[in-house]
Amino acid sequence: MFLGMFLLRKVAIALATMLAVSFLIFLALEVNVEDVAVKVLGQYSTVEQRAAWLAQNGYNDPFLLRYVRWLGQFVAGDWGMSTFFRAPVVDMVLPRLAASAILAGGALLVIVIFGLGLGVLAGMRPGSLLDRMISVFSVVTTSIPDFASAVFLSGIFVFWLGLLPGASTMISGLSLAELVLPVSVLGLYSMGYLARVTRASMVDVMGTHYIRTARLKGASMGRIVLRHALRNALITPVTVIMLQLPWLLSGVIVIEVFYAYKGFGTLLYDAALNQDIYLIEACAMISVLVVVLSQILSDLLYGWLNPRITLGARA
Amino acid sequence: MKDYKTLSGAPLHPEAKALTKRLAEGQIDRRGFLRAMAWLGVAVGGASMLGGKALAEEAPKDGGTLRFACQIQEITDPMMTNWIEASNLFRNSLEFLTYVDENNITHPYLAKSWTPSADLTVWDFELDERAKWSNGDAFQPEDVIFNIERWIAPDSQSSNKTAFGAISRVEKTGDHGVRITLSRPMASLPEQLYSYTCPIVHRGFKGNWPADPVGTGPFALVSHEVGRQSVFRKRPDYWGTPARLDEIQYIDLGPDVTTHLAALSSGQVDVIYRATIAEYDLMKSLPNLQILSVKGANTIVLRMQVDQKPFDDIRVRQAVVLAANNQQMLDIAYRGQGDLGANYHVSPTQADYFSLPPIARDVEKAKALLAEAGHADGIDIELTLGNTQGKWEQDTAQVLQQNLAEAGIRLKLNVLPASQYWPIWNKVPFGLTFWAHRPLGTMTLDLAYRSGGSWNESRFASPEFDAALDKAMAVVDPEARKVAMQEVERILQDNAVMVQPFWAERLSAAAEKVRGFVLHPSDYFRMDGVWIA
């Protein structure tokens, strides 16, 4: 199937998914108009004020009509005003998503370099001392939840050694020092898992006939790994990496809150805590968008890594 | 008497003579004396008159930026503010008619003097003619009248409406004079005017202060971004003594106090708004840190709404109070860092405190009362809380849960995030609410337990209580006021409105280089005297 057709089909599926999710979001948050009025105007608003606001903003219209109007406004970039932050939602979400992208980029770099590197090293010679050491390290880092390693790392590098800043607000602009701890925590948590998956995949590939043939032909280990094994061994790890992407971009709530990092995760947390209805809607829609886009990207990557996988083939 | 003069130059109030005599005879303490004299408009000076500890003998330095970690909350109309944290932001730009220091002594501020009538119902305030607004306008009596009329307007939703419910008229008496007439005597009026909902906004105020941040204060608002940062810069044209700092940056570090301490420890901020008992050991272990603590009337009340089932039956409320072990809650949930409460919401640190004997724990009596109320097999109740000040609130509730179980009261805890608790704090039948310090017990009780009061979360309504409170609020003499409070406290305690287990010591921390930052018991932080060494 041509790439264009493939993309068209994927985008159509993504749009259908987003449409369905948008309906569910709207249903969950705006089916009760009284609740909407209280959330927007506050608990001290009077019944008359709420009624006037509801009438003024079209909330007396039928539910489906309101949904279509809301969807249209969303697509047009009118995401409403945040009731907690008192600012246009669209102006808040995108900078926060960019901030999370910086954090995610740093974490992804750590995850990919160390996770893949360690996994390949371990998988090259299964059962060796190096393999065992890497396996133990991987199990340990994967077993410690991110909030726990955040406490450990802060305890060591902030409170004990005094080497790193304890909060990552980025209030004064981008600070690499402030990125170190959150990136390390996210990296540690995911790199172990990626290393284990890569190792398993590498062990499988290294046992195949074509690798044995390459060895018999006298190819060096470096050449065998880089030219013959790695590309095939990457298919499973890429799945893991692509699954991390939406989480890193829109789901790193614990670490962002812990380090007071003003990213998308903190925004979602604040929106949920403060019942900031329009912000919750926008954050939910963006989260879904990130997931579907990362799926399309991972499908494209599969095709590049293994040309035998036909783009668009039904699973 | 010749040593004392009024701020206005008017003759001393008749009560001042009696107070001086009682001080000389040792019937009242010096702090209570100074405080009451200040209400009457007598110049009492600063904390030095109390023999307080002098500040370190360092020459204060001007300049620099101070970074303060606290929540950056929404500010719209200051009189509607529900959070003291938010008030500490606008406190840099908006000023009050009076200033109450950390010793609860009232001083002149925008009002340079006040003179009460003999019966304490007519108060003449003289405004400081030097005061100017940041937009260049002169500060005028019209500004004060505009504010007070807004507070007490029929449609006002400010807590000031209850606190100043006694104001019947406010009028201009000259170029700088304002007269406030009360329907009942209110001795502590000057002190109440420093409540955090009472900053004076410009007479042209439109309802959203950050959008047009005009103020008379020493700092000007530069930016205010909810949930992120708020910046204030020193005003070179300030009418009073200039501030020492060039800039104050308030930074929102989220809800986790450990993160605040981490930022303080690594030099990212200079002061944190609050620490809780859970961080006490960590704070003690950190170098280059000042641990700040103050005892005050900060407390939690586990109050029951007296018109909601099953709490409309006083026997059920009494059973809850009798089964609660206040000492255990203090020892376990707050590690003993506070004073024991006795369920009537007046603190030993408040000047009008009268010590009532605590209610002895009696589980058998609690069971008997429950049986009498028709709950012989026990009863299921739910307590809603929001950990608004920290996890110790939930720890306290869990101890209570165990206490009540002994009496057959099955307590379910409904723990909400803080931001979800405040919208319903006065609606739930049984709730755990934090109450901040106020200099006088009457100030808290007037807000929280007067019939129909705007912050009356227990819905307690008693004409007998209201009358006793009115009586206490009219007394100037500190000892006589304490005696008057006995009845007020007794009514509240007898009606078993709440379990008020303990008074929590207030904790915070600042970098070692910070000077002049005083942990005010009400959390009212004035930053104009703060400097960095």
Side-chain angles (χ1 to χ4, degrees):
Chain A
M1 186 181 282
F2 293 108
L3 182 65
M5 280 300 289
F6 164 79
L7 280 177
L8 207 63
R9 185 161 162 258
K10 280 290 173 187
V11 170
I13 292 172
L15 284 176
T17 308
M18 289 207 61
L19 202 65
V21 173
S22 69
F23 184 77
L24 290 175
I25 292 168
F26 192 78
L27 185 70
L29 294 170
E30 297 209 22
V31 71
N32 185 336
V33 292
E34 271 300 317
D35 274 359
V36 177
V38 171
K39 282 170 189 162
V40 172
L41 299 178
Q43 56 152 335
Y44 294 117
S45 54
T46 62
V47 176
E48 293 76 25
Q49 284 171 327
R50 288 175 206 165
W53 183 86
L54 287 171
Q56 196 181 345
N57 290 279
Y59 274 87
N60 294 336
D61 294 338
F63 177 76
L64 279 178
L65 180 61
R66 286 196 289 122
Y67 168 68
V68 171
R69 189 167 52 221
W70 170 79
L71 194 63
Q73 287 170 340
F74 193 88
V75 171
D78 177 7
W79 298 357
M81 285 286 287
S82 158
T83 53
F84 178 68
F85 294 100
R86 300 282 166 190
V89 169
V90 71
D91 293 348
M92 300 182 62
V93 170
L94 299 180
R96 292 294 194 104
L97 199 62
S100 281
I102 293 170
L103 184 61
L108 212 55
L109 213 60
V110 171
I111 294 166
V112 170
I113 291 173
F114 290 95
L116 284 182
L118 291 174
V120 169
L121 281 176
M124 277 163 54
R125 290 194 171 82
S128 64
L129 180 66
L130 183 66
D131 175 31
R132 284 162 197 246
M133 283 169 61
I134 291 172
S135 293
V136 169
F137 173 76
S138 305
V139 169
V140 170
T141 54
T142 312
S143 307
I144 302 174
D146 50 2
F147 61 84
S149 49
V151 173
F152 293 148
L153 291 184
S154 288
I156 296 168
F157 294 103
V158 179
F159 290 117
W160 182 31
L161 299 174
L163 290 176
L164 290 169
S168 308
T169 56
M170 305 279 170
I171 288 283
S172 316
L174 182 67
S175 160
L176 291 179
E178 290 185 12
L179 269 179
V180 172
L181 279 177
V183 162
S184 303
V185 172
L186 293 172
L188 269 180
Y189 182 61
S190 297
M191 80 164 76
Y193 183 53
L194 182 64
R196 294 186 69 196
V197 169
T198 309
R199 177 199 175 275
S201 192
M202 196 68 188
V203 168
D204 282 349
V205 172
M206 291 299 279
T208 55
H209 294 305
Y210 76 94
I211 295 294
R212 193 167 56 189
T213 308
R215 273 184 178 158
L216 289 173
K217 282 171 69 180
S220 67
M221 185 55 110
R223 188 179 168 82
I224 290 171
V225 169
L226 293 174
R227 291 292 299 273
H228 303 291
L230 195 57
R231 190 160 163 176
N232 280 329
L234 275 179
I235 294 173
T236 315
V238 162
T239 310
V240 173
I241 293 167
M242 295 316 291
L243 284 174
Q244 301 289 322
L245 201 58
W247 172 67
L248 283 171
L249 273 174
S250 59
V252 189
I253 295 173
V254 174
I255 296 307
E256 286 195 3
V257 170
F258 184 88
Y259 287 109
Y261 188 83
K262 305 295 178 189
F264 190 81
T266 322
L267 189 68
L268 190 56
Y269 173 82
D270 286 335
L273 274 188
N274 297 292
Q275 301 187 42
D276 195 336
I277 188 163
Y278 302 127
L279 194 52
I280 295 173
E281 287 171 352
C283 286
M285 291 292 282
I286 293 296
S287 299
V288 177
L289 184 68
V290 168
V291 171
V292 296
L293 286 179
S294 66
Q295 275 178 349
I296 295 174
L297 191 62
S298 67
D299 282 348
L300 287 170
L301 272 174
Y302 289 155
W304 175 74
L305 286 169
N306 189 347
R308 285 178 302 175
I309 298 174
T310 312
L311 288 177
R314 290 175 195 281
Chain B
M1 288 295 286
K2 63 185 176 189
D3 292 334
Y4 294 102
K5 290 179 181 164
T6 58
L7 293 160
S8 62
L12 284 170
H13 190 276
E15 195 76 33
K17 190 175 177 182
L19 283 169
T20 312
K21 186 167 176 281
R22 285 170 66 80
L23 176 72
E25 291 168 355
Q27 292 174 13
I28 53 175
D29 64 20
R30 185 157 180 78
R31 180 173 300 214
F33 166 77
L34 289 176
R35 177 182 201 153
M37 291 291 265
W39 292 347
L40 299 172
V42 177
V44 295
S48 58
M49 294 192 69
L50 294 167
K53 190 179 164 188
L55 290 173
E57 287 181 9
E58 287 178 272
K61 286 183 192 165
D62 285 344
T65 298
L66 183 116
R67 295 150 307 166
F68 198 125
C70 73
Q71 282 190 65
I72 308 299
Q73 297 157 331
E74 185 197 7
I75 297 172
T76 48
D77 188 342
M79 77 169 187
M80 294 292 291
T81 306
N82 282 335
W83 294 75
I84 294 175
E85 258 168 302
S87 82
N88 281 319
L89 302 189
F90 60 64
R91 198 179 302 280
N92 291 304
S93 295
L94 294 173
E95 297 180 304
F96 298 70
L97 285 177
T98 59
Y99 165 62
V100 180
D101 68 19
E102 66 277 13
N103 296 304
N104 292 325
I105 308 291
T106 310
H107 301 274
Y109 204 1
L110 283 173
K112 63 178 186 181
S113 70
W114 49 91
T115 308
S117 63
D119 65 353
L120 302 171
T121 57
V122 180
W123 292 74
D124 285 318
F125 285 82
E126 188 69 12
L127 308 181
D128 198 316
E129 65 280 0
R130 298 171 302 159
K132 275 206 179 323
W133 292 99
S134 54
N135 64 0
D137 290 349
F139 176 62
Q140 296 173 343
E142 285 79 2
D143 292 305
V144 178
I145 294 166
F146 170 78
N147 277 270
I148 295 177
E149 285 182 343
R150 288 179 74 238
W151 299 347
I152 59 171
D155 60 345
S156 165
Q157 297 201 41
S158 167
S159 59
N160 292 346
K161 192 180 172 187
T162 302
F164 298 99
I167 295 180
S168 57
R169 197 165 65 242
V170 52
E171 61 199 312
K172 181 176 175 176
T173 53
D175 287 348
H176 306 290
V178 174
R179 173 169 291 170
I180 298 175
T181 306
L182 307 176
S183 58
R184 60 173 189 268
M186 199 170 152
S188 60
L189 179 68
E191 192 160 303
Q192 298 215 181
L193 288 166
Y194 194 57
S195 299
Y196 69 96
T197 46
C198 299
I200 301 297
V201 295
H202 187 272
R203 55 191 175 273
F205 179 68
K206 295 284 190 291
N208 184 2
W209 184 71
D212 186 18
V214 178
T216 56
F219 293 92
L221 178 69
V222 177
S223 66
H224 180 73
E225 200 179 339
V226 178
R228 191 174 172 85
Q229 191 182 30
S230 194
V231 179
F232 289 83
R233 198 161 294 147
K234 179 178 175 176
R235 269 183 62 201
D237 57 341
Y238 176 55
W239 63 273
T241 309
R244 300 211 171 274
L245 296 166
D246 286 339
E247 190 172 288
I248 310 171
Q249 295 175 358
Y250 293 91
I251 302 169
D252 194 322
L253 294 179
D256 193 338
V257 180
T258 314
T259 306
H260 300 191
L261 279 171
L264 183 61
S265 174
S266 55
Q268 290 175 285
V269 295
D270 305 305
V271 183
I272 64 169
Y273 181 73
R274 177 184 293 119
T276 72
I277 196 69
E279 289 83 32
Y280 193 54
D281 287 338
L282 176 61
M283 282 199 297
K284 283 198 291 187
S285 71
L286 294 175
N288 307 322
L289 215 75
Q290 307 173 50
I291 297 180
L292 309 168
S293 71
V294 65
K295 282 194 173 187
N298 292 304
T299 189
I300 45 173
V301 293
L302 298 93
R303 90 292 177 282
M304 295 161 270
Q305 288 189 333
V306 298
D307 60 349
Q308 297 291 308
K309 284 193 181 308
F311 305 113
D312 54 346
D313 187 332
I314 190 171
R315 292 168 297 190
V316 174
R317 301 201 303 269
Q318 285 170 331
V320 170
V321 171
L322 284 167
N325 187 336
N326 290 2
Q327 185 67 54
Q328 202 175 55
M329 284 184 258
L330 170 61
D331 291 342
I332 295 175
Y334 215 72
R335 295 172 50 183
Q337 292 284 123
D339 296 317
L340 199 63
N343 310 327
Y344 52 83
H345 207 163
V346 183
S347 156
T349 61
Q350 289 171 317
D352 49 359
Y353 170 76
F354 184 90
S355 177
L356 289 182
I359 294 167
R361 187 165 190 248
D362 191 339
V363 175
E364 290 311 312
K365 193 175 172 188
K367 283 181 183 170
L369 280 165
L370 275 184
E372 205 180 296
H375 306 289
D377 297 329
I379 187 171
D380 292 287
I381 55 174
E382 181 177 277
L383 174 72
T384 304
L385 64 145
N387 285 328
T388 57
Q389 308 299 307
K391 172 75 168 33
W392 58 273
E393 292 183 7
Q394 190 175 341
D395 296 341
T396 308
Q398 282 169 343
V399 176
L400 180 74
Q401 193 177 35
Q402 300 302 317
N403 294 162
L404 299 191
E406 291 175 45
I409 303 171
R410 295 173 292 274
L411 180 67
K412 184 183 165 198
L413 301 183
N414 177 22
V415 184
L416 303 173
S419 56
Q420 286 181 26
Y421 180 71
W422 285 126
I424 54 157
W425 72 284
N426 54 359
K427 294 187 174 65
V428 290
F430 192 19
L432 185 157
T433 304
F434 173 81
W435 276 83
H437 168 94
R438 283 168 180 79
L440 289 171
T442 49
M443 291 163 79
T444 309
L445 302 188
D446 188 43
L447 268 179
Y449 305 100
R450 183 184 285 283
S451 309
S454 50
W455 283 6
N456 185 339
E457 55 172 340
S458 65
R459 302 187 188 174
F460 177 64
S462 159
E464 187 195 3
F465 173 84
D466 297 347
L469 188 59
D470 285 345
K471 195 174 152 198
M473 289 176 81
V475 181
V476 175
D477 183 291
E479 290 306 313
R481 186 175 259 244
K482 283 181 185 176
V483 173
M485 282 296 280
Q486 180 183 7
E487 178 68 357
V488 179
E489 295 171 3
R490 186 196 57 75
I491 296 169
L492 212 48
Q493 196 185 46
D494 287 353
N495 277 279
V497 179
M498 75 197 99
V499 174
Q500 187 252 317
F502 53 84
W503 303 97
E505 199 172 317
R506 171 78 166 79
L507 298 167
S508 186
E512 201 272 328
K513 64 181 180 180
V514 175
R515 300 285 189 276
F517 179 70
V518 179
L519 199 60
H520 194 285
S522 300
D523 290 352
Y524 296 171
F525 303 138
R526 267 185 75 171
M527 305 301 288
D528 45 350
V530 178
W531 53 282
I532 295 173

